[in-house]
Every structure is written in C-alpha cells, then in structure tokens.
C-alpha cells in the first residue's frame, strides 16, 4: 500500500502506478504474480466497477493522473503460501502526491 500511495501523484500514468505496485508485490513474494489492476477511479461521475476499463490502474493504461482524481486503491494476495489478504484505501491525488481519505486506523 505504501508503494501505491507513493506512486499516486500528478503526472504518473495509471500504468506506472500499476507497475510500481506489481513490482513491489513480486519482489516481496520472490515469484511472478498476476493481477489485472490495483485500483480504479471513484466519484460521482464514475460508477464503481472491478474492471473499470480506462478508469483503472492497470497495464497499458496511459491515463495521466491529475490533481483532484480520487481512486480506490487496493492490494491483495489470493491464495498461495501467504493465504488471501486484501487491503484498500480511498486516496485523493493532490499537488503534493496522495492524501489517504480512509479514516480507519491501520493495524499490523
């Protein structure tokens, strides 16, 4: 999640955010890991959707992030040695990077 928050800033593309996250996951696992996205735009003009098309943080998406965009960012591991784990936040792209809007406390 830290990698997602760091990569979520104006000027990065959706694909760059995905690649940063994907690289961190594979590095931590020490093996290839396949996921199709790690977040999507949310807001009044964007109905929620798991696949989101051009509104998702995914490979091949050249959408440039801009200040004011809000994303549901997510990281998960499905099965495998570590079991299934999922984490998510709502995050706003600001001039300075990313502001997490989720107010639930983080736990270890």
């Amino acid at each position: 999640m830290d990698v997602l928050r760091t990569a979520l800033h104006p000027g990065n593309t959706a694909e760059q955010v995905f690649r940063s996250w994907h690289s961190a996951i594979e590095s931590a696992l020490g093996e290839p890991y396949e996921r199709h996205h790690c977040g999507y735009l949310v807001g009044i003009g964007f109905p929620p959707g798991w696949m989101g098309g051009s509104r998702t943080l995914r490979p091949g998406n050249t959408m440039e992030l801009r200040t004011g965009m809000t994303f549901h960012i997510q990281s998960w591991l499905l099965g495998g040695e570590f079991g299934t784990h999922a984490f998510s936040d709502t995050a706003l792209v600001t001039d300075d990077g990313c502001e997490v809007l989720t107010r639930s406390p983080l736990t270890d």
Side-chain angles (χ1 to χ4, degrees):
M1 291 303 288
D2 289 339
V3 168
L4 278 172
R5 291 182 203 109
T6 299
L8 206 70
H9 64 79
N12 261 355
T13 65
E15 180 174 35
Q16 287 172 309
V17 175
F18 175 85
R19 295 282 178 220
S20 294
W21 169 80
H22 191 252
S23 176
I25 292 293
E26 288 193 336
S27 177
L29 291 175
E31 62 185 37
Y33 184 68
E34 293 300 320
R35 292 301 310 149
H36 47 76
H37 76 288
C38 61
Y40 52 86
L41 275 168
V42 294
I44 195 164
F46 303 103
W50 287 102
M51 297 305 285
S54 64
R55 301 180 313 256
T56 9
L57 303 172
R58 68 180 320 127
N61 188 350
T62 60
M63 174 185 67
E64 186 174 318
L65 277 59
R66 298 184 316 257
T67 298
M69 289 179 156
T70 305
F71 289 87
H72 175 216
I73 54 175
Q74 31 190 195
S75 185
W76 62 85
L77 296 174
L78 299 175
E81 177 183 345
F82 300 104
T84 297
H85 301 276
F87 304 91
S88 71
D89 281 318
T90 302
L92 173 66
V93 178
T94 68
D95 289 336
D96 298 324
C98 167
E99 176 187 347
V100 176
L101 302 176
T102 305
R103 297 297 177 229
S104 297
L106 297 176
T107 60
D108 293 334

